[in-house]
Coordinates of all heavy atoms in Angstrom, one line a residue:
M1 N 0.8 -1.2 0.0 CA 0.0 0.0 0.0 C 0.9 1.2 0.1 O 0.7 2.1 -0.9 CB -0.9 -0.1 1.3 CG -2.0 1.0 1.4 SD -3.1 0.8 -0.2 CE -4.4 2.0 0.4
K2 N 1.9 1.3 0.8 CA 2.7 2.3 0.8 C 3.5 2.6 -0.5 O 3.6 3.7 -0.9 CB 3.8 2.2 2.0 CG 4.5 3.5 2.5 CD 5.3 3.2 3.5 CE 6.2 4.5 4.0 NZ 7.0 4.3 5.1
R3 N 3.8 1.5 -1.1 CA 4.5 1.5 -2.3 C 3.8 2.1 -3.4 O 4.1 2.9 -4.2 CB 5.0 0.1 -2.7 CG 6.3 -0.4 -2.3 CD 6.6 -1.7 -2.9 NE 7.2 -1.8 -4.0 CZ 8.4 -2.7 -4.2 NH1 8.6 -3.6 -3.2 NH2 9.1 -2.6 -5.2
W4 N 2.4 1.8 -3.3 CA 1.5 2.3 -4.4 C 1.4 3.8 -4.3 O 1.3 4.5 -5.3 CB 0.0 1.7 -4.1 CG -0.9 2.1 -5.1 CD1 -1.0 1.6 -6.4 CD2 -1.8 3.1 -5.2 NE1 -1.9 2.1 -7.1 CE2 -2.5 3.2 -6.3 CE3 -2.2 4.0 -4.0 CZ2 -3.5 4.0 -6.5 CZ3 -3.1 4.9 -4.3 CH2 -3.8 5.0 -5.5
I5 N 1.3 4.3 -2.9 CA 1.2 5.8 -2.8 C 2.5 6.6 -3.2 O 2.3 7.5 -4.0 CB 1.0 6.0 -1.4 CG1 -0.5 5.6 -0.9 CG2 1.1 7.6 -1.0 CD1 -0.6 5.5 0.7
V6 N 3.7 6.0 -3.0 CA 4.9 6.5 -3.5 C 4.9 6.6 -5.0 O 5.3 7.6 -5.6 CB 6.1 5.6 -3.0 CG1 7.4 6.2 -3.7 CG2 6.2 5.9 -1.5
G7 N 4.4 5.3 -5.6 CA 4.4 5.4 -7.0 C 3.5 6.3 -7.6 O 3.8 7.0 -8.6
A8 N 2.2 6.6 -6.9 CA 1.3 7.6 -7.6 C 1.9 9.0 -7.4 O 1.7 9.8 -8.3 CB 0.1 7.6 -6.7
A9 N 2.7 9.2 -6.3 CA 3.2 10.6 -6.1 C 4.2 10.8 -7.1 O 4.3 12.0 -7.8 CB 3.8 10.7 -4.6
S10 N 5.1 9.8 -7.5 CA 6.2 10.1 -8.4 C 5.6 10.2 -10.0 O 5.9 11.0 -10.6 CB 7.2 9.1 -8.5 OG 6.5 7.8 -8.8
G11 N 4.3 9.5 -10.0 CA 3.7 9.7 -11.3 C 3.1 11.0 -11.4 O 3.2 11.6 -12.6
T12 N 2.7 11.7 -10.3 CA 2.2 13.0 -10.5 C 3.2 14.0 -10.9 O 3.1 14.9 -11.6 CB 1.5 13.4 -9.1 OG1 0.5 12.5 -8.8 CG2 0.8 14.8 -9.1
L13 N 4.3 13.7 -10.3 CA 5.5 14.6 -10.4 C 6.0 14.7 -11.9 O 6.2 15.7 -12.4 CB 6.8 14.2 -9.6 CG 6.7 14.7 -8.1 CD1 7.8 14.1 -7.3 CD2 6.8 16.3 -8.2
L14 N 5.9 13.3 -12.3 CA 6.3 13.3 -13.9 C 5.3 14.0 -14.8 O 5.8 14.6 -15.7 CB 6.3 11.7 -14.3 CG 7.6 11.0 -13.9 CD1 7.5 9.4 -14.1 CD2 8.7 11.5 -14.6
A15 N 4.0 13.8 -14.3 CA 3.0 14.5 -15.1 C 3.1 16.1 -15.2 O 3.0 16.8 -16.2 CB 1.5 14.2 -14.6
V16 N 3.6 16.6 -14.0 CA 3.8 18.0 -13.9 C 4.9 18.4 -14.7 O 5.1 19.5 -15.4 CB 4.0 18.4 -12.5 CG1 4.5 19.8 -12.2 CG2 2.6 18.2 -11.6
A17 N 6.0 17.5 -14.6 CA 7.2 17.9 -15.4 C 6.9 17.9 -16.9 O 7.4 18.7 -17.6 CB 8.4 16.9 -15.1
G18 N 6.2 16.9 -17.2 CA 5.7 16.8 -18.7 C 5.0 17.9 -19.1 O 5.2 18.6 -20.2
L19 N 4.1 18.5 -18.3 CA 3.4 19.8 -18.7 C 4.3 20.9 -18.9 O 4.2 21.7 -19.8 CB 2.4 20.0 -17.6 CG 1.1 19.4 -17.7 CD1 0.2 19.7 -16.4 CD2 0.2 19.7 -18.9
G20 N 5.2 21.0 -18.0 CA 6.2 22.1 -18.2 C 7.1 22.0 -19.4 O 7.2 23.0 -20.1
A21 N 7.5 20.9 -19.9 CA 8.2 20.7 -21.1 C 7.3 21.0 -22.2 O 7.7 21.6 -23.2 CB 8.6 19.1 -21.1
A22 N 5.9 20.6 -22.2 CA 5.1 20.9 -23.3 C 4.8 22.3 -23.6 O 4.8 22.8 -24.6 CB 3.7 20.2 -22.9
S23 N 4.7 23.1 -22.4 CA 4.6 24.7 -22.5 C 5.7 25.2 -23.1 O 5.7 26.2 -23.8 CB 4.1 25.3 -21.2 OG 5.2 25.1 -20.3
V24 N 7.0 24.8 -22.8 CA 8.2 25.3 -23.4 C 8.2 25.1 -24.8 O 8.5 26.0 -25.7 CB 9.5 24.7 -22.7 CG1 10.7 25.1 -23.5 CG2 9.5 25.2 -21.2
A25 N 7.8 23.9 -25.2 CA 7.8 23.4 -26.7 C 6.9 24.1 -27.4 O 7.1 24.6 -28.6 CB 7.6 22.0 -26.9
A26 N 5.7 24.5 -26.9 CA 4.6 25.3 -27.5 C 5.0 26.8 -27.9 O 4.5 27.2 -28.8 CB 3.4 25.2 -26.7
S27 N 5.9 27.3 -27.1 CA 6.3 28.7 -27.4 C 7.2 28.8 -28.5 O 7.5 29.8 -29.0 CB 6.8 29.2 -26.0 OG 8.1 28.8 -25.8
D28 N 7.9 27.7 -28.9 CA 8.9 27.7 -30.0 C 8.4 28.1 -31.3 O 8.9 29.1 -31.9 CB 9.7 26.5 -30.0 CG 10.6 26.1 -28.9 OD1 10.9 27.2 -28.2 OD2 11.0 25.0 -28.6
P29 N 7.3 27.6 -31.8 CA 6.7 28.1 -33.1 C 6.3 29.5 -33.2 O 6.4 30.0 -34.2 CB 5.5 27.1 -33.3 CG 5.8 25.9 -32.4 CD 6.5 26.5 -31.2
V30 N 5.9 30.0 -32.0 CA 5.4 31.3 -32.0 C 6.7 32.3 -32.1 O 6.5 33.3 -32.9 CB 4.9 31.6 -30.5 CG1 4.5 33.2 -30.4 CG2 3.7 30.9 -30.3
Q31 N 7.8 32.0 -31.6 CA 9.0 32.8 -31.7 C 9.5 32.6 -33.3 O 10.1 33.5 -33.7 CB 10.1 32.3 -30.8 CG 9.7 32.7 -29.3 CD 10.6 32.1 -28.3 OE1 11.5 31.4 -28.7 NE2 10.4 32.5 -27.1
A32 N 9.3 31.3 -33.7 CA 9.8 31.1 -35.1 C 9.2 31.9 -36.3 O 9.8 32.4 -37.0 CB 9.9 29.6 -35.5
Q33 N 7.9 32.0 -36.1 CA 6.9 32.9 -37.1 C 7.2 32.5 -38.5 O 8.2 32.7 -39.1 CB 7.3 34.3 -36.8 CG 6.8 34.8 -35.5 CD 7.0 36.4 -35.3 OE1 8.0 36.8 -35.8 NE2 6.1 37.0 -34.6
A34 N 6.0 31.9 -39.1 CA 6.2 31.5 -40.6 C 6.2 32.8 -41.4 O 5.8 33.8 -41.0 CB 4.9 30.7 -40.9
E35 N 6.8 32.6 -42.5 CA 6.8 33.7 -43.4 C 6.4 33.3 -44.9 O 6.8 32.2 -45.3 CB 8.3 34.3 -43.6 CG 8.3 35.6 -44.3 CD 9.7 36.2 -44.4 OE1 10.1 36.8 -43.3 OE2 10.5 36.2 -45.4
S36 N 5.6 34.0 -45.5 CA 5.3 33.8 -47.0 C 5.6 35.0 -47.7 O 5.9 36.0 -47.2 CB 3.7 33.5 -47.1 OG 3.3 32.4 -46.4
R37 N 5.6 34.8 -49.2 CA 6.1 35.9 -50.0 C 5.2 35.8 -51.2 O 4.6 34.9 -51.7 CB 7.5 35.4 -50.6 CG 8.3 36.6 -51.0 CD 9.7 36.1 -51.2 NE 10.4 36.2 -50.0 CZ 11.2 37.3 -49.5 NH1 11.4 38.4 -50.3 NH2 11.8 37.2 -48.4
V38 N 4.7 37.0 -51.5 CA 3.7 37.2 -52.6 C 4.3 38.3 -53.6 O 4.8 39.2 -53.2 CB 2.4 37.6 -52.2 CG1 2.2 38.8 -51.5 CG2 1.3 37.5 -53.3
T39 N 4.1 38.2 -54.9 CA 4.5 39.1 -55.8 C 3.1 39.7 -56.6 O 2.2 39.0 -56.8 CB 5.3 38.4 -57.0 OG1 6.3 37.8 -56.4 CG2 5.7 39.4 -58.1
L40 N 3.1 41.0 -56.5 CA 1.9 41.7 -56.9 C 2.2 42.5 -58.2 O 3.4 43.2 -58.2 CB 1.4 42.6 -55.9 CG 1.1 41.9 -54.6 CD1 1.8 42.4 -53.4 CD2 -0.5 41.9 -54.3
H41 N 1.3 42.6 -59.1 CA 1.6 43.5 -60.1 C 0.8 44.7 -59.8 O -0.3 44.8 -59.5 CB 0.9 42.9 -61.5 CG 0.9 43.8 -62.7 ND1 2.1 44.2 -63.4 CD2 -0.1 44.7 -63.3 CE1 1.8 45.0 -64.3 NE2 0.7 45.2 -64.3
V42 N 1.5 45.9 -59.9 CA 0.9 47.2 -59.5 C 0.8 48.1 -60.6 O 1.9 48.5 -61.3 CB 1.7 47.8 -58.4 CG1 1.2 49.1 -57.8 CG2 1.9 46.9 -57.1
E43 N -0.4 48.6 -61.0 CA -0.7 49.6 -62.0 C -0.8 50.9 -61.5 O -1.3 51.1 -60.3 CB -1.8 49.2 -62.8 CG -1.6 48.0 -63.7 CD -2.9 47.6 -64.4 OE1 -3.8 48.4 -64.6 OE2 -3.0 46.4 -64.7
G44 N -0.2 52.0 -62.1 CA -0.6 53.4 -61.8 C 0.6 54.1 -61.1 O 0.4 55.3 -60.7
M45 N 1.6 53.4 -61.1 CA 3.0 54.1 -60.6 C 3.6 54.8 -61.7 O 3.9 54.2 -62.7 CB 3.9 53.0 -59.9 CG 3.4 52.3 -58.7 SD 4.6 51.5 -57.8 CE 5.0 50.2 -58.9
H46 N 3.7 56.2 -61.5 CA 4.2 57.0 -62.7 C 5.6 57.6 -62.3 O 6.2 58.1 -63.3 CB 3.2 58.0 -63.0 CG 1.9 57.4 -63.4 ND1 1.7 56.8 -64.5 CD2 0.7 57.6 -62.7 CE1 0.4 56.4 -64.6 NE2 -0.2 56.7 -63.6
C47 N 6.0 57.9 -61.2 CA 7.2 58.5 -60.9 C 7.8 57.8 -59.7 O 7.4 56.9 -59.1 CB 6.9 60.0 -60.6 SG 6.1 60.3 -58.9
A48 N 9.1 58.4 -59.3 CA 9.9 57.8 -58.4 C 9.4 57.7 -57.0 O 9.7 56.9 -56.2 CB 11.3 58.5 -58.2
T49 N 8.3 58.6 -56.7 CA 7.8 58.5 -55.3 C 6.6 57.6 -55.3 O 6.3 57.3 -54.0 CB 7.3 60.0 -54.9 OG1 6.4 60.5 -55.8 CG2 8.4 60.9 -54.7
C50 N 6.0 57.2 -56.4 CA 4.9 56.3 -56.3 C 5.3 54.9 -55.6 O 4.6 54.4 -54.8 CB 4.5 55.9 -57.7 SG 3.4 57.2 -58.4
P51 N 6.5 54.3 -56.0 CA 6.8 53.0 -55.2 C 7.0 53.2 -53.7 O 6.8 52.4 -53.0 CB 8.2 52.7 -55.9 CG 8.2 53.4 -57.2 CD 7.4 54.6 -56.9
I52 N 7.5 54.5 -53.4 CA 7.7 54.7 -52.0 C 6.3 54.8 -51.2 O 6.0 54.3 -50.2 CB 8.4 56.1 -51.8 CG1 9.8 55.8 -52.3 CG2 8.6 56.4 -50.3 CD1 10.5 57.2 -52.4
A53 N 5.3 55.3 -51.9 CA 3.9 55.4 -51.4 C 3.4 54.1 -51.2 O 2.7 53.7 -50.2 CB 3.0 56.2 -52.3
V54 N 3.6 53.2 -52.2 CA 3.0 51.8 -52.1 C 3.8 51.0 -51.0 O 3.2 50.4 -50.2 CB 3.3 51.0 -53.5 CG1 3.0 49.5 -53.5 CG2 2.4 51.6 -54.6
R55 N 5.1 51.3 -50.8 CA 5.8 50.6 -49.9 C 5.4 51.0 -48.5 O 5.2 50.1 -47.6 CB 7.3 50.8 -50.1 CG 8.3 50.0 -49.1 CD 9.7 50.0 -49.7 NE 10.2 51.3 -49.8 CZ 10.8 52.0 -48.7 NH1 10.8 51.5 -47.7 NH2 11.4 53.2 -49.1
V56 N 5.1 52.2 -48.2 CA 4.7 52.7 -46.9 C 3.3 52.1 -46.7 O 3.1 51.7 -45.6 CB 4.7 54.4 -46.9 CG1 3.9 54.8 -45.8 CG2 6.0 54.8 -47.0
A57 N 2.5 52.2 -47.6 CA 1.1 51.7 -47.4 C 1.1 50.2 -47.0 O 0.4 49.9 -46.1 CB 0.2 51.8 -48.6
V58 N 1.9 49.4 -47.7 CA 2.0 48.0 -47.4 C 2.8 47.7 -46.0 O 2.3 46.9 -45.2 CB 2.6 47.2 -48.5 CG1 2.8 45.7 -48.2 CG2 1.7 47.3 -49.8
S59 N 3.7 48.5 -45.8 CA 4.6 48.3 -44.6 C 3.7 48.6 -43.2 O 4.1 48.0 -42.2 CB 5.7 49.3 -44.6 OG 6.6 49.0 -45.7
R60 N 2.7 49.3 -43.4 CA 1.9 49.6 -42.2 C 1.0 48.6 -41.7 O 0.5 48.5 -40.7 CB 0.9 50.9 -42.5 CG 1.6 52.2 -42.5 CD 0.5 53.3 -42.7 NE 1.1 54.5 -42.7 CZ 0.9 55.5 -43.6 NH1 -0.1 55.2 -44.6 NH2 1.5 56.7 -43.6
L61 N 0.8 47.5 -42.6 CA 0.0 46.4 -42.3 C 0.7 45.6 -41.3 O 1.8 45.2 -41.5 CB -0.4 45.6 -43.5 CG -1.2 46.3 -44.6 CD1 -1.3 45.3 -45.8 CD2 -2.5 46.5 -44.1
P62 N -0.1 45.1 -40.3 CA 0.5 44.2 -39.2 C 0.9 42.7 -39.9 O 0.0 42.4 -40.8 CB -0.5 43.9 -38.2 CG -1.6 45.0 -38.5 CD -1.4 45.4 -39.9
G63 N 2.1 42.4 -39.6 CA 2.5 41.0 -40.1 C 3.3 41.2 -41.4 O 3.8 40.3 -41.9
V64 N 3.4 42.3 -42.0 CA 4.3 42.6 -43.2 C 5.8 42.8 -42.7 O 6.0 43.6 -41.8 CB 3.8 43.8 -44.0 CG1 4.9 44.2 -45.0 CG2 2.4 43.5 -44.7
R65 N 6.7 41.9 -43.2 CA 8.0 41.9 -42.9 C 9.0 42.7 -43.8 O 9.8 43.4 -43.2 CB 8.5 40.4 -43.0 CG 7.8 39.5 -42.0 CD 8.4 39.6 -40.7 NE 7.3 38.8 -39.8 CZ 7.1 37.6 -39.7 NH1 7.6 36.9 -40.6 NH2 6.2 37.1 -38.8
E66 N 8.7 42.6 -45.1 CA 9.6 43.2 -45.9 C 8.8 43.6 -47.3 O 8.0 42.8 -47.7 CB 10.8 42.3 -46.2 CG 12.0 42.9 -47.0 CD 12.9 41.9 -47.4 OE1 12.9 40.8 -46.8 OE2 13.6 42.2 -48.5
V67 N 9.1 44.8 -47.9 CA 8.3 45.2 -49.1 C 9.4 45.7 -50.1 O 10.2 46.6 -49.6 CB 7.3 46.4 -48.8 CG1 6.4 46.6 -50.0 CG2 6.4 45.9 -47.6
T68 N 9.4 45.2 -51.2 CA 10.2 45.7 -52.2 C 9.4 46.1 -53.5 O 8.7 45.2 -53.9 CB 11.4 44.6 -52.8 OG1 12.0 44.0 -51.6 CG2 12.3 45.2 -53.7
V69 N 9.4 47.3 -53.9 CA 8.7 47.8 -55.1 C 9.4 48.3 -56.1 O 10.3 49.1 -55.9 CB 7.6 49.0 -54.5 CG1 6.7 49.2 -55.6 CG2 6.9 48.5 -53.2
S70 N 9.2 47.8 -57.4 CA 9.9 48.3 -58.6 C 9.0 49.0 -59.5 O 8.0 48.6 -59.9 CB 10.5 47.0 -59.3 OG 10.9 47.3 -60.5
L71 N 9.3 50.4 -59.7 CA 8.7 51.2 -60.7 C 8.7 50.6 -62.1 O 7.7 50.4 -62.8 CB 9.3 52.6 -60.6 CG 8.7 53.6 -61.5 CD1 7.2 53.9 -61.3 CD2 9.5 55.0 -61.6
E72 N 10.0 50.2 -62.5 CA 10.3 49.7 -63.8 C 9.4 48.4 -64.1 O 8.9 48.3 -65.3 CB 11.7 49.4 -64.0 CG 12.6 50.7 -63.9 CD 12.8 51.2 -62.6 OE1 12.6 50.5 -61.6 OE2 13.3 52.3 -62.3
Q73 N 9.3 47.5 -63.2 CA 8.8 46.3 -63.3 C 7.2 46.3 -62.9 O 6.4 45.3 -63.1 CB 9.4 45.2 -62.5 CG 10.8 44.9 -63.0 CD 11.5 43.8 -62.1 OE1 10.9 43.3 -61.1 NE2 12.7 43.4 -62.5
A74 N 6.8 47.5 -62.3 CA 5.3 47.5 -61.9 C 5.1 46.5 -61.0 O 4.0 45.7 -61.3 CB 4.5 47.6 -63.1
R75 N 6.0 46.3 -60.1 CA 5.9 45.0 -59.3 C 6.1 45.3 -57.8 O 7.0 46.1 -57.5 CB 6.7 44.1 -59.8 CG 6.7 42.5 -59.2 CD 7.5 41.7 -60.0 NE 6.9 41.3 -61.3 CZ 7.6 40.7 -62.3 NH1 8.9 40.4 -62.2 NH2 6.9 40.3 -63.3
A76 N 5.5 44.7 -56.9 CA 5.8 44.7 -55.5 C 6.1 43.3 -55.0 O 5.2 42.4 -55.3 CB 4.8 45.4 -54.7
V77 N 7.2 43.0 -54.2 CA 7.3 41.8 -53.5 C 7.2 42.0 -52.1 O 7.8 42.8 -51.6 CB 8.7 41.1 -54.0 CG1 8.9 39.8 -53.3 CG2 8.7 40.9 -55.5
V78 N 6.3 41.1 -51.5 CA 6.1 41.3 -50.0 C 6.3 40.0 -49.2 O 5.7 39.1 -49.5 CB 4.5 41.8 -49.8 CG1 4.2 42.1 -48.3 CG2 4.2 43.0 -50.7
A79 N 7.1 40.1 -48.2 CA 7.3 39.1 -47.3 C 6.4 39.4 -46.1 O 6.4 40.4 -45.6 CB 8.8 39.0 -47.0
Y80 N 5.5 38.2 -45.7 CA 4.5 38.5 -44.6 C 4.4 37.3 -43.9 O 4.6 36.3 -44.2 CB 3.2 39.0 -45.3 CG 2.5 38.0 -46.2 CD1 1.5 37.1 -45.6 CD2 3.0 37.9 -47.4 CE1 1.0 36.2 -46.5 CE2 2.4 36.8 -48.2 CZ 1.4 36.1 -47.8 OH 0.8 35.0 -48.5
D81 N 3.8 37.4 -42.7 CA 3.3 36.4 -41.8 C 1.9 36.0 -42.1 O 1.0 36.9 -41.9 CB 3.5 37.0 -40.3 CG 3.0 35.7 -39.4 OD1 2.5 34.8 -39.7 OD2 2.9 36.1 -38.0
P82 N 1.7 34.8 -42.8 CA 0.3 34.5 -43.1 C -0.7 34.3 -41.9 O -2.0 34.2 -42.2 CB 0.6 33.1 -43.7 CG 1.9 32.5 -43.3 CD 2.7 33.7 -42.9
A83 N -0.3 34.3 -40.8 CA -1.1 34.3 -39.5 C -1.7 35.7 -39.3 O -2.8 35.8 -38.6 CB -0.4 33.7 -38.4
Q84 N -1.0 36.7 -39.8 CA -1.5 38.0 -39.4 C -2.0 38.8 -40.6 O -2.7 39.8 -40.5 CB -0.3 38.9 -39.0 CG 0.3 38.3 -37.6 CD 1.4 39.2 -37.0 OE1 1.0 40.4 -36.7 NE2 2.6 38.8 -37.1
V85 N -1.6 38.5 -41.8 CA -2.2 39.2 -43.0 C -2.2 38.4 -44.3 O -1.6 37.4 -44.3 CB -1.2 40.4 -43.3 CG1 0.2 40.0 -43.8 CG2 -1.8 41.6 -44.2
T86 N -3.1 38.8 -45.3 CA -3.3 38.0 -46.4 C -3.0 38.8 -47.7 O -2.9 40.0 -47.6 CB -4.8 37.6 -46.6 OG1 -5.6 38.8 -46.6 CG2 -5.2 36.8 -45.4
P87 N -2.7 38.2 -48.9 CA -2.5 38.8 -50.1 C -3.6 39.8 -50.3 O -3.4 40.8 -50.9 CB -2.2 37.7 -51.1 CG -1.7 36.6 -50.3 CD -2.4 36.7 -49.0
A88 N -4.9 39.3 -50.2 CA -6.0 40.1 -50.4 C -6.0 41.4 -49.6 O -6.4 42.5 -50.1 CB -7.3 39.3 -50.1
R89 N -5.5 41.4 -48.4 CA -5.4 42.6 -47.5 C -4.3 43.5 -48.2 O -4.5 44.7 -47.9 CB -5.2 42.2 -46.2 CG -5.1 43.3 -45.1 CD -6.5 44.0 -45.0 NE -6.3 45.2 -44.1 CZ -6.1 46.3 -44.7 NH1 -6.0 46.6 -46.0 NH2 -6.1 47.4 -43.9
I90 N -3.2 42.9 -48.6 CA -2.2 43.6 -49.0 C -2.6 44.5 -50.3 O -2.3 45.6 -50.6 CB -0.8 42.7 -49.3 CG1 -0.3 42.3 -48.0 CG2 0.2 43.5 -50.2 CD1 0.6 41.0 -48.2
V91 N -3.3 43.8 -51.2 CA -4.0 44.2 -52.5 C -4.8 45.5 -52.1 O -4.7 46.6 -52.6 CB -4.8 43.2 -53.3 CG1 -5.7 43.9 -54.3 CG2 -3.7 42.3 -54.0
Q92 N -5.6 45.3 -51.1 CA -6.5 46.4 -50.6 C -5.8 47.6 -50.2 O -6.1 48.7 -50.4 CB -7.4 45.8 -49.3 CG -8.5 46.7 -48.9 CD -9.2 46.2 -47.6 OE1 -9.1 45.1 -47.3 NE2 -9.9 47.1 -47.0
A93 N -4.6 47.4 -49.4 CA -3.9 48.5 -49.0 C -3.3 49.3 -50.0 O -3.2 50.5 -50.2 CB -2.8 48.1 -48.0
I94 N -2.9 48.6 -51.1 CA -2.3 49.3 -52.3 C -3.5 50.0 -53.1 O -3.2 51.1 -53.6 CB -1.6 48.3 -53.3 CG1 -0.5 47.6 -52.6 CG2 -1.3 48.9 -54.7 CD1 0.2 46.4 -53.4
E95 N -4.6 49.5 -53.1 CA -5.8 50.1 -53.8 C -6.2 51.4 -53.1 O -6.4 52.5 -53.6 CB -6.9 49.2 -53.8 CG -6.8 47.9 -54.5 CD -7.1 48.0 -56.1 OE1 -7.7 48.9 -56.5 OE2 -6.6 47.0 -56.9
E96 N -6.1 51.3 -51.7 CA -6.3 52.4 -50.9 C -5.4 53.6 -51.1 O -5.7 54.7 -50.8 CB -6.5 52.0 -49.4 CG -7.8 51.2 -49.1 CD -7.7 50.6 -47.6 OE1 -6.7 50.8 -47.1 OE2 -8.7 49.8 -47.3
A97 N -4.2 53.1 -51.4 CA -3.2 54.2 -51.6 C -3.3 54.9 -53.0 O -2.5 55.9 -53.4 CB -1.7 53.6 -51.4
G98 N -4.2 54.4 -53.8 CA -4.6 54.8 -55.1 C -3.9 54.2 -56.3 O -4.0 54.8 -57.4
Y99 N -3.6 53.0 -56.1 CA -3.1 52.2 -57.2 C -3.9 51.0 -57.4 O -4.7 50.6 -56.5 CB -1.5 51.8 -56.9 CG -0.8 53.0 -56.7 CD1 -0.6 53.5 -55.4 CD2 -0.1 53.8 -57.7 CE1 0.3 54.6 -55.1 CE2 0.6 54.9 -57.5 CZ 0.8 55.3 -56.2 OH 1.5 56.4 -55.9
H100 N -3.6 50.3 -58.6 CA -4.3 49.1 -58.8 C -3.3 47.9 -58.7 O -2.3 48.0 -59.3 CB -5.0 49.1 -60.2 CG -5.7 47.8 -60.6 ND1 -7.0 47.5 -59.8 CD2 -5.7 46.9 -61.4 CE1 -7.4 46.3 -60.3 NE2 -6.6 45.9 -61.2
A101 N -3.9 46.9 -58.0 CA -3.0 45.8 -57.7 C -3.6 44.4 -57.9 O -4.7 44.2 -57.7 CB -2.2 45.9 -56.3
R102 N -2.9 43.4 -58.4 CA -3.4 42.1 -58.4 C -2.2 41.1 -58.2 O -1.0 41.4 -58.6 CB -3.9 41.7 -59.8 CG -3.1 41.9 -60.9 CD -3.8 41.4 -62.2 NE -3.2 41.8 -63.4 CZ -2.1 41.2 -63.9 NH1 -1.7 40.0 -63.2 NH2 -1.5 41.6 -65.0
V103 N -2.7 39.9 -57.5 CA -1.6 38.9 -57.2 C -1.0 38.4 -58.5 O -1.9 38.0 -59.4 CB -2.1 38.0 -56.2 CG1 -1.2 36.7 -56.0 CG2 -2.6 38.6 -54.9
E104 N 0.3 38.1 -58.6 CA 0.9 37.7 -59.8 C 1.2 36.2 -59.6 O 1.2 35.4 -60.6 CB 2.2 38.3 -60.1 CG 2.2 39.4 -61.2 CD 3.5 39.9 -61.6 OE1 4.6 39.4 -61.3 OE2 3.5 41.1 -62.3
N105 N 1.5 35.7 -58.5 CA 1.9 34.2 -58.4 C 0.9 33.5 -57.4 O 0.0 34.1 -56.8 CB 3.2 34.1 -57.8 CG 3.5 34.7 -56.4 OD1 2.6 35.6 -56.0 ND2 4.6 34.4 -55.8
Ligands
CU1 CU1 4.4 59.1 -58.6

C-alpha cells in the first residue's frame, strides 16, 4: 500500500514535469514565425515617389516583414506572416493608396 502511494506521487511529479516541457515546446513555433512571399502587379505608378507610397502603405499592415517595390517592373514583392495578413489585404492597402494591384503568383 505504501509503495502504491509513493508510485502515485512520483507519477504526479512526472505529469507536472511533462506539462512544463510541453509549454516550453509550444512557445517555440510562436518565436519562429512563419513567412510567406507574394508578388503583386501594381498599375498606376508613374514617378519615383509612387513606389515609396506603395511601400509605406503595405509596410503599415501588421504582419508585413519586408516590401520591395519596382517602378520599372510595376511590381511589389512582399514578405509577410500568413497568420497576421493575407495577399487580399495587401492588395486592398495598395488600392487604398490609389493604385491598382493584383496577385501575380
Ligand atoms: Cu508618382
Side-chain angles (χ1 to χ4, degrees):
M1 189 61 168
K2 195 177 178 183
R3 263 180 105 130
W4 183 84
I5 291 165
V6 170
S10 65
T12 305
L13 280 173
L14 282 173
V16 170
L19 279 174
S23 66
V24 168
S27 68
D28 288 341
V30 175
Q31 287 167 359
Q33 289 178 327
E35 186 173 290
S36 294
R37 202 166 279 264
V38 66
T39 301
L40 305 122
H41 179 74
V42 183
E43 283 170 29
M45 297 193 291
H46 302 296
C47 73
T49 56
C50 284
I52 297 167
V54 170
R55 187 161 57 82
V56 167
V58 176
S59 298
R60 281 193 185 125
L61 295 171
V64 169
R65 300 275 164 65
E66 193 188 335
V67 189
T68 309
V69 185
S70 166
L71 173 66
E72 295 78 15
Q73 298 181 354
R75 187 174 284 165
V77 179
V78 183
Y80 64 98
D81 175 1
Q84 294 185 71
V85 69
T86 60
R89 182 68 190 90
I90 294 165
V91 165
Q92 188 189 340
I94 296 173
E95 301 270 344
E96 284 167 2
Y99 303 91
H100 182 63
R102 62 175 164 80
V103 175
E104 257 186 19
N105 60 345

